[in-house]
Amino acid sequence: MLHYVLSRLLRAAVSIVMVVTFVFVVLRMSGDPATVIMGADAPPEAIDAFRKAWGLDQPLWIQYFAFFEAVFSGELGRSMRDGRDVVAVVLERVPSTLALTVPAFLINIAVGIPAGVYAALHRNSLIDRCVMVMAVTGFAVPSFILAMLLVLIFSVNLGWLPSAGQDSWLNAILPIATMGFGGAALLARFTRSAMLEVLGQSYIRTASAKGLPWSAVVWRHALQNAAIPTITIIGFMLGGLVAGAVVVESVFSWPGVGRLLVVSVANRDLAVVQAIVLMIAITMVGANMIVDVLYGLVDPRMHGQARPARRG
């Protein structure tokens, strides 16, 4: 088990370095931050002084190693816009993002898994078809389209809910609904597929032939063996909480990390963008590591322990 975890840690570290390196290079190739921040009409002397002050006059490889040296020392730099520490700039937006992503994630699990299981147990029924229609719709419709539809219906036409800002808890309903519907639909679809695959296995028929109640067969055998695909999707969703909030926060003008990322990219505020991307990469890789460890707990064969899984 220790070797299993260590190999995942190494893979996680390599993944984070690759993601941050890609973003580092792309940001510096996409435009000159000095020109964007100072303005195209700024004197050349002012632009040169800005580049020198922020180390942008150095070769790219020197900037790259200086960035990673700062990361390992715990200093992620300062915002080029206001000179504030980027860690403080990002962390002050985290509570607003969590106010959307945590309830949306709980809705994903509370709605998606039961809906998928129920649809699988009642295959080809009216409820199964309704669940699949909702699942396909939620999976196919982009989040920004769904967000605009909700604004059009509940804000513009009905006037029940505000469409933007963070003035009260009512402002969070539409963003949470947007994120919750799409995630629940995705989870329901994959849970249903995993359950149908498990219910067709021979050990399920054997357990039923032994006289076990159908509820015991479902809870003790089917759900346990359908857990790995479901855990995979939950891990992806957990890791993508912050990244998935970018579009929703932008549509609803929600002052979270996602909207800060969009604004910082537009302003070429390199240190803030790099800090947010690093946080997203760590979150996603960390979630995948948790999923890998859970794989080993659910099915020990996946980390080399030759203990047969219980199949009934």
PDB file of all heavy atoms in Angstrom, residues 101-130:
ATOM      1  N   THR A 101     -19.701  26.094  -4.650  1.00  0.00           N
ATOM      2  CA  THR A 101     -19.273  24.759  -5.059  1.00  0.00           C
ATOM      3  C   THR A 101     -19.640  23.680  -4.049  1.00  0.00           C
ATOM      4  O   THR A 101     -19.986  22.561  -4.451  1.00  0.00           O
ATOM      5  CB  THR A 101     -17.759  24.749  -5.301  1.00  0.00           C
ATOM      6  OG1 THR A 101     -17.087  25.214  -4.116  1.00  0.00           O
ATOM      7  CG2 THR A 101     -17.390  25.654  -6.461  1.00  0.00           C
ATOM      8  N   VAL A 102     -19.572  23.976  -2.752  1.00  0.00           N
ATOM      9  CA  VAL A 102     -19.887  22.945  -1.755  1.00  0.00           C
ATOM     10  C   VAL A 102     -21.364  22.543  -1.818  1.00  0.00           C
ATOM     11  O   VAL A 102     -21.680  21.344  -1.905  1.00  0.00           O
ATOM     12  CB  VAL A 102     -19.484  23.406  -0.337  1.00  0.00           C
ATOM     13  CG1 VAL A 102     -20.001  22.431   0.709  1.00  0.00           C
ATOM     14  CG2 VAL A 102     -17.966  23.537  -0.236  1.00  0.00           C
ATOM     15  N   PRO A 103     -22.322  23.499  -1.782  1.00  0.00           N
ATOM     16  CA  PRO A 103     -23.730  23.077  -1.934  1.00  0.00           C
ATOM     17  C   PRO A 103     -23.991  22.387  -3.268  1.00  0.00           C
ATOM     18  O   PRO A 103     -24.760  21.413  -3.322  1.00  0.00           O
ATOM     19  CB  PRO A 103     -24.505  24.399  -1.838  1.00  0.00           C
ATOM     20  CG  PRO A 103     -23.606  25.317  -1.099  1.00  0.00           C
ATOM     21  CD  PRO A 103     -22.227  24.945  -1.513  1.00  0.00           C
ATOM     22  N   ALA A 104     -23.367  22.873  -4.354  1.00  0.00           N
ATOM     23  CA  ALA A 104     -23.575  22.233  -5.654  1.00  0.00           C
ATOM     24  C   ALA A 104     -23.050  20.804  -5.649  1.00  0.00           C
ATOM     25  O   ALA A 104     -23.692  19.894  -6.198  1.00  0.00           O
ATOM     26  CB  ALA A 104     -22.886  23.049  -6.751  1.00  0.00           C
ATOM     27  N   PHE A 105     -21.900  20.585  -5.022  1.00  0.00           N
ATOM     28  CA  PHE A 105     -21.330  19.233  -4.955  1.00  0.00           C
ATOM     29  C   PHE A 105     -22.219  18.305  -4.134  1.00  0.00           C
ATOM     30  O   PHE A 105     -22.420  17.136  -4.501  1.00  0.00           O
ATOM     31  CB  PHE A 105     -19.934  19.306  -4.345  1.00  0.00           C
ATOM     32  CG  PHE A 105     -19.215  17.988  -4.295  1.00  0.00           C
ATOM     33  CD1 PHE A 105     -18.777  17.377  -5.457  1.00  0.00           C
ATOM     34  CD2 PHE A 105     -18.978  17.344  -3.090  1.00  0.00           C
ATOM     35  CE1 PHE A 105     -18.105  16.164  -5.414  1.00  0.00           C
ATOM     36  CE2 PHE A 105     -18.314  16.133  -3.036  1.00  0.00           C
ATOM     37  CZ  PHE A 105     -17.876  15.538  -4.204  1.00  0.00           C
ATOM     38  N   LEU A 106     -22.767  18.807  -3.032  1.00  0.00           N
ATOM     39  CA  LEU A 106     -23.672  17.992  -2.218  1.00  0.00           C
ATOM     40  C   LEU A 106     -24.943  17.647  -2.990  1.00  0.00           C
ATOM     41  O   LEU A 106     -25.464  16.532  -2.880  1.00  0.00           O
ATOM     42  CB  LEU A 106     -24.012  18.734  -0.925  1.00  0.00           C
ATOM     43  CG  LEU A 106     -22.838  18.967   0.032  1.00  0.00           C
ATOM     44  CD1 LEU A 106     -23.290  19.770   1.248  1.00  0.00           C
ATOM     45  CD2 LEU A 106     -22.223  17.648   0.473  1.00  0.00           C
ATOM     46  N   ILE A 107     -25.430  18.592  -3.793  1.00  0.00           N
ATOM     47  CA  ILE A 107     -26.597  18.313  -4.629  1.00  0.00           C
ATOM     48  C   ILE A 107     -26.264  17.247  -5.670  1.00  0.00           C
ATOM     49  O   ILE A 107     -27.080  16.349  -5.947  1.00  0.00           O
ATOM     50  CB  ILE A 107     -27.083  19.609  -5.318  1.00  0.00           C
ATOM     51  CG1 ILE A 107     -27.683  20.555  -4.275  1.00  0.00           C
ATOM     52  CG2 ILE A 107     -28.107  19.306  -6.400  1.00  0.00           C
ATOM     53  CD1 ILE A 107     -28.052  21.917  -4.835  1.00  0.00           C
ATOM     54  N   ASN A 108     -25.070  17.340  -6.232  1.00  0.00           N
ATOM     55  CA  ASN A 108     -24.645  16.336  -7.218  1.00  0.00           C
ATOM     56  C   ASN A 108     -24.757  14.923  -6.649  1.00  0.00           C
ATOM     57  O   ASN A 108     -25.293  14.019  -7.295  1.00  0.00           O
ATOM     58  CB  ASN A 108     -23.195  16.602  -7.631  1.00  0.00           C
ATOM     59  CG  ASN A 108     -23.030  17.910  -8.379  1.00  0.00           C
ATOM     60  OD1 ASN A 108     -23.996  18.474  -8.878  1.00  0.00           O
ATOM     61  ND2 ASN A 108     -21.816  18.411  -8.427  1.00  0.00           N
ATOM     62  N   ILE A 109     -24.237  14.746  -5.431  1.00  0.00           N
ATOM     63  CA  ILE A 109     -24.225  13.418  -4.820  1.00  0.00           C
ATOM     64  C   ILE A 109     -25.617  13.017  -4.343  1.00  0.00           C
ATOM     65  O   ILE A 109     -26.071  11.896  -4.591  1.00  0.00           O
ATOM     66  CB  ILE A 109     -23.229  13.393  -3.645  1.00  0.00           C
ATOM     67  CG1 ILE A 109     -21.801  13.612  -4.169  1.00  0.00           C
ATOM     68  CG2 ILE A 109     -23.318  12.074  -2.890  1.00  0.00           C
ATOM     69  CD1 ILE A 109     -20.759  13.681  -3.083  1.00  0.00           C
ATOM     70  N   ALA A 110     -26.313  13.944  -3.680  1.00  0.00           N
ATOM     71  CA  ALA A 110     -27.618  13.622  -3.096  1.00  0.00           C
ATOM     72  C   ALA A 110     -28.671  13.324  -4.156  1.00  0.00           C
ATOM     73  O   ALA A 110     -29.609  12.569  -3.906  1.00  0.00           O
ATOM     74  CB  ALA A 110     -28.086  14.769  -2.198  1.00  0.00           C
ATOM     75  N   VAL A 111     -28.534  13.916  -5.337  1.00  0.00           N
ATOM     76  CA  VAL A 111     -29.514  13.710  -6.406  1.00  0.00           C
ATOM     77  C   VAL A 111     -29.007  12.703  -7.431  1.00  0.00           C
ATOM     78  O   VAL A 111     -29.743  11.803  -7.847  1.00  0.00           O
ATOM     79  CB  VAL A 111     -29.853  15.055  -7.089  1.00  0.00           C
ATOM     80  CG1 VAL A 111     -30.779  14.824  -8.283  1.00  0.00           C
ATOM     81  CG2 VAL A 111     -30.483  16.015  -6.095  1.00  0.00           C
ATOM     82  N   GLY A 112     -27.748  12.844  -7.844  1.00  0.00           N
ATOM     83  CA  GLY A 112     -27.234  12.035  -8.942  1.00  0.00           C
ATOM     84  C   GLY A 112     -27.166  10.550  -8.641  1.00  0.00           C
ATOM     85  O   GLY A 112     -27.619   9.723  -9.448  1.00  0.00           O
ATOM     86  N   ILE A 113     -26.605  10.178  -7.478  1.00  0.00           N
ATOM     87  CA  ILE A 113     -26.442   8.751  -7.169  1.00  0.00           C
ATOM     88  C   ILE A 113     -27.785   8.054  -6.964  1.00  0.00           C
ATOM     89  O   ILE A 113     -28.036   7.008  -7.585  1.00  0.00           O
ATOM     90  CB  ILE A 113     -25.524   8.573  -5.939  1.00  0.00           C
ATOM     91  CG1 ILE A 113     -24.100   9.021  -6.287  1.00  0.00           C
ATOM     92  CG2 ILE A 113     -25.518   7.119  -5.482  1.00  0.00           C
ATOM     93  CD1 ILE A 113     -23.130   8.913  -5.136  1.00  0.00           C
ATOM     94  N   PRO A 114     -28.688   8.577  -6.113  1.00  0.00           N
ATOM     95  CA  PRO A 114     -29.994   7.899  -5.983  1.00  0.00           C
ATOM     96  C   PRO A 114     -30.764   7.826  -7.293  1.00  0.00           C
ATOM     97  O   PRO A 114     -31.400   6.809  -7.587  1.00  0.00           O
ATOM     98  CB  PRO A 114     -30.736   8.760  -4.947  1.00  0.00           C
ATOM     99  CG  PRO A 114     -29.661   9.441  -4.175  1.00  0.00           C
ATOM    100  CD  PRO A 114     -28.569   9.701  -5.170  1.00  0.00           C
ATOM    101  N   ALA A 115     -30.699   8.894  -8.093  1.00  0.00           N
ATOM    102  CA  ALA A 115     -31.421   8.871  -9.369  1.00  0.00           C
ATOM    103  C   ALA A 115     -30.853   7.804 -10.300  1.00  0.00           C
ATOM    104  O   ALA A 115     -31.610   7.081 -10.958  1.00  0.00           O
ATOM    105  CB  ALA A 115     -31.350  10.244 -10.036  1.00  0.00           C
ATOM    106  N   GLY A 116     -29.529   7.688 -10.354  1.00  0.00           N
ATOM    107  CA  GLY A 116     -28.923   6.671 -11.205  1.00  0.00           C
ATOM    108  C   GLY A 116     -29.229   5.266 -10.747  1.00  0.00           C
ATOM    109  O   GLY A 116     -29.508   4.375 -11.568  1.00  0.00           O
ATOM    110  N   VAL A 117     -29.169   5.027  -9.434  1.00  0.00           N
ATOM    111  CA  VAL A 117     -29.468   3.701  -8.894  1.00  0.00           C
ATOM    112  C   VAL A 117     -30.923   3.340  -9.143  1.00  0.00           C
ATOM    113  O   VAL A 117     -31.245   2.224  -9.591  1.00  0.00           O
ATOM    114  CB  VAL A 117     -29.143   3.650  -7.387  1.00  0.00           C
ATOM    115  CG1 VAL A 117     -29.637   2.343  -6.771  1.00  0.00           C
ATOM    116  CG2 VAL A 117     -27.633   3.788  -7.160  1.00  0.00           C
ATOM    117  N   TYR A 118     -31.829   4.277  -8.869  1.00  0.00           N
ATOM    118  CA  TYR A 118     -33.251   3.998  -9.049  1.00  0.00           C
ATOM    119  C   TYR A 118     -33.574   3.731 -10.519  1.00  0.00           C
ATOM    120  O   TYR A 118     -34.365   2.830 -10.844  1.00  0.00           O
ATOM    121  CB  TYR A 118     -34.075   5.178  -8.540  1.00  0.00           C
ATOM    122  CG  TYR A 118     -35.546   4.878  -8.423  1.00  0.00           C
ATOM    123  CD1 TYR A 118     -36.073   4.294  -7.271  1.00  0.00           C
ATOM    124  CD2 TYR A 118     -36.422   5.163  -9.468  1.00  0.00           C
ATOM    125  CE1 TYR A 118     -37.426   4.009  -7.168  1.00  0.00           C
ATOM    126  CE2 TYR A 118     -37.770   4.884  -9.378  1.00  0.00           C
ATOM    127  CZ  TYR A 118     -38.272   4.304  -8.217  1.00  0.00           C
ATOM    128  OH  TYR A 118     -39.610   4.022  -8.130  1.00  0.00           O
ATOM    129  N   ALA A 119     -32.952   4.504 -11.416  1.00  0.00           N
ATOM    130  CA  ALA A 119     -33.201   4.297 -12.838  1.00  0.00           C
ATOM    131  C   ALA A 119     -32.704   2.931 -13.286  1.00  0.00           C
ATOM    132  O   ALA A 119     -33.348   2.257 -14.102  1.00  0.00           O
ATOM    133  CB  ALA A 119     -32.527   5.403 -13.647  1.00  0.00           C
ATOM    134  N   ALA A 120     -31.552   2.492 -12.761  1.00  0.00           N
ATOM    135  CA  ALA A 120     -31.027   1.183 -13.133  1.00  0.00           C
ATOM    136  C   ALA A 120     -31.910   0.056 -12.611  1.00  0.00           C
ATOM    137  O   ALA A 120     -32.112  -0.957 -13.303  1.00  0.00           O
ATOM    138  CB  ALA A 120     -29.604   1.032 -12.593  1.00  0.00           C
ATOM    139  N   LEU A 121     -32.427   0.216 -11.404  1.00  0.00           N
ATOM    140  CA  LEU A 121     -33.276  -0.825 -10.821  1.00  0.00           C
ATOM    141  C   LEU A 121     -34.648  -0.890 -11.475  1.00  0.00           C
ATOM    142  O   LEU A 121     -35.359  -1.896 -11.331  1.00  0.00           O
ATOM    143  CB  LEU A 121     -33.432  -0.586  -9.315  1.00  0.00           C
ATOM    144  CG  LEU A 121     -32.147  -0.711  -8.486  1.00  0.00           C
ATOM    145  CD1 LEU A 121     -32.431  -0.387  -7.022  1.00  0.00           C
ATOM    146  CD2 LEU A 121     -31.545  -2.101  -8.605  1.00  0.00           C
ATOM    147  N   HIS A 122     -35.033   0.178 -12.171  1.00  0.00           N
ATOM    148  CA  HIS A 122     -36.329   0.219 -12.866  1.00  0.00           C
ATOM    149  C   HIS A 122     -36.092   0.497 -14.345  1.00  0.00           C
ATOM    150  O   HIS A 122     -36.662   1.424 -14.924  1.00  0.00           O
ATOM    151  CB  HIS A 122     -37.249   1.269 -12.246  1.00  0.00           C
ATOM    152  CG  HIS A 122     -37.566   1.021 -10.811  1.00  0.00           C
ATOM    153  ND1 HIS A 122     -36.705   1.355  -9.788  1.00  0.00           N
ATOM    154  CD2 HIS A 122     -38.653   0.450 -10.211  1.00  0.00           C
ATOM    155  CE1 HIS A 122     -37.238   1.018  -8.631  1.00  0.00           C
ATOM    156  NE2 HIS A 122     -38.420   0.458  -8.851  1.00  0.00           N
ATOM    157  N   ARG A 123     -35.223  -0.291 -14.926  1.00  0.00           N
ATOM    158  CA  ARG A 123     -34.827  -0.074 -16.310  1.00  0.00           C
ATOM    159  C   ARG A 123     -36.023  -0.123 -17.260  1.00  0.00           C
ATOM    160  O   ARG A 123     -36.918  -0.953 -17.104  1.00  0.00           O
ATOM    161  CB  ARG A 123     -33.801  -1.126 -16.716  1.00  0.00           C
ATOM    162  CG  ARG A 123     -33.200  -0.924 -18.087  1.00  0.00           C
ATOM    163  CD  ARG A 123     -32.177  -1.983 -18.383  1.00  0.00           C
ATOM    164  NE  ARG A 123     -31.505  -1.734 -19.648  1.00  0.00           N
ATOM    165  CZ  ARG A 123     -30.570  -2.510 -20.156  1.00  0.00           C
ATOM    166  NH1 ARG A 123     -30.202  -3.609 -19.496  1.00  0.00           N
ATOM    167  NH2 ARG A 123     -30.005  -2.212 -21.318  1.00  0.00           N
ATOM    168  N   ASN A 124     -36.020   0.816 -18.222  1.00  0.00           N
ATOM    169  CA  ASN A 124     -37.046   0.940 -19.262  1.00  0.00           C
ATOM    170  C   ASN A 124     -38.401   1.386 -18.723  1.00  0.00           C
ATOM    171  O   ASN A 124     -39.391   1.364 -19.468  1.00  0.00           O
ATOM    172  CB  ASN A 124     -37.206  -0.369 -20.044  1.00  0.00           C
ATOM    173  CG  ASN A 124     -35.952  -0.724 -20.821  1.00  0.00           C
ATOM    174  OD1 ASN A 124     -35.236   0.148 -21.302  1.00  0.00           O
ATOM    175  ND2 ASN A 124     -35.671  -2.024 -20.932  1.00  0.00           N
ATOM    176  N   SER A 125     -38.458   1.769 -17.462  1.00  0.00           N
ATOM    177  CA  SER A 125     -39.700   2.316 -16.931  1.00  0.00           C
ATOM    178  C   SER A 125     -39.812   3.798 -17.290  1.00  0.00           C
ATOM    179  O   SER A 125     -38.875   4.407 -17.828  1.00  0.00           O
ATOM    180  CB  SER A 125     -39.742   2.148 -15.406  1.00  0.00           C
ATOM    181  OG  SER A 125     -38.745   2.954 -14.795  1.00  0.00           O
ATOM    182  N   LEU A 126     -40.955   4.379 -16.986  1.00  0.00           N
ATOM    183  CA  LEU A 126     -41.159   5.804 -17.267  1.00  0.00           C
ATOM    184  C   LEU A 126     -40.169   6.652 -16.473  1.00  0.00           C
ATOM    185  O   LEU A 126     -39.614   7.628 -16.998  1.00  0.00           O
ATOM    186  CB  LEU A 126     -42.603   6.194 -16.928  1.00  0.00           C
ATOM    187  CG  LEU A 126     -42.943   7.682 -17.116  1.00  0.00           C
ATOM    188  CD1 LEU A 126     -42.749   8.098 -18.575  1.00  0.00           C
ATOM    189  CD2 LEU A 126     -44.384   7.958 -16.659  1.00  0.00           C
ATOM    190  N   ILE A 127     -39.943   6.281 -15.220  1.00  0.00           N
ATOM    191  CA  ILE A 127     -39.006   7.041 -14.386  1.00  0.00           C
ATOM    192  C   ILE A 127     -37.596   6.929 -14.946  1.00  0.00           C
ATOM    193  O   ILE A 127     -36.838   7.916 -14.969  1.00  0.00           O
ATOM    194  CB  ILE A 127     -39.065   6.542 -12.938  1.00  0.00           C
ATOM    195  CG1 ILE A 127     -40.438   6.860 -12.322  1.00  0.00           C
ATOM    196  CG2 ILE A 127     -37.958   7.161 -12.101  1.00  0.00           C
ATOM    197  CD1 ILE A 127     -40.596   6.400 -10.901  1.00  0.00           C
ATOM    198  N   ASP A 128     -37.227   5.744 -15.400  1.00  0.00           N
ATOM    199  CA  ASP A 128     -35.904   5.567 -15.996  1.00  0.00           C
ATOM    200  C   ASP A 128     -35.736   6.469 -17.214  1.00  0.00           C
ATOM    201  O   ASP A 128     -34.697   7.122 -17.382  1.00  0.00           O
ATOM    202  CB  ASP A 128     -35.716   4.099 -16.393  1.00  0.00           C
ATOM    203  CG  ASP A 128     -34.374   3.846 -17.074  1.00  0.00           C
ATOM    204  OD1 ASP A 128     -33.393   4.536 -16.721  1.00  0.00           O
ATOM    205  OD2 ASP A 128     -34.302   2.968 -17.942  1.00  0.00           O
ATOM    206  N   ARG A 129     -36.734   6.532 -18.059  1.00  0.00           N
ATOM    207  CA  ARG A 129     -36.642   7.384 -19.250  1.00  0.00           C
ATOM    208  C   ARG A 129     -36.572   8.858 -18.871  1.00  0.00           C
ATOM    209  O   ARG A 129     -35.826   9.630 -19.492  1.00  0.00           O
ATOM    210  CB  ARG A 129     -37.835   7.115 -20.168  1.00  0.00           C
ATOM    211  CG  ARG A 129     -37.818   5.732 -20.812  1.00  0.00           C
ATOM    212  CD  ARG A 129     -38.899   5.610 -21.878  1.00  0.00           C
ATOM    213  NE  ARG A 129     -38.799   4.336 -22.582  1.00  0.00           N
ATOM    214  CZ  ARG A 129     -39.435   3.233 -22.242  1.00  0.00           C
ATOM    215  NH1 ARG A 129     -40.234   3.232 -21.177  1.00  0.00           N
ATOM    216  NH2 ARG A 129     -39.286   2.115 -22.941  1.00  0.00           N
ATOM    217  N   CYS A 130     -37.333   9.254 -17.859  1.00  0.00           N
ATOM    218  CA  CYS A 130     -37.286  10.650 -17.412  1.00  0.00           C
ATOM    219  C   CYS A 130     -35.906  10.998 -16.862  1.00  0.00           C
ATOM    220  O   CYS A 130     -35.361  12.074 -17.155  1.00  0.00           O
ATOM    221  CB  CYS A 130     -38.352  10.898 -16.342  1.00  0.00           C
ATOM    222  SG  CYS A 130     -40.048  10.848 -16.952  1.00  0.00           S
TER     223      CYS A 130
END
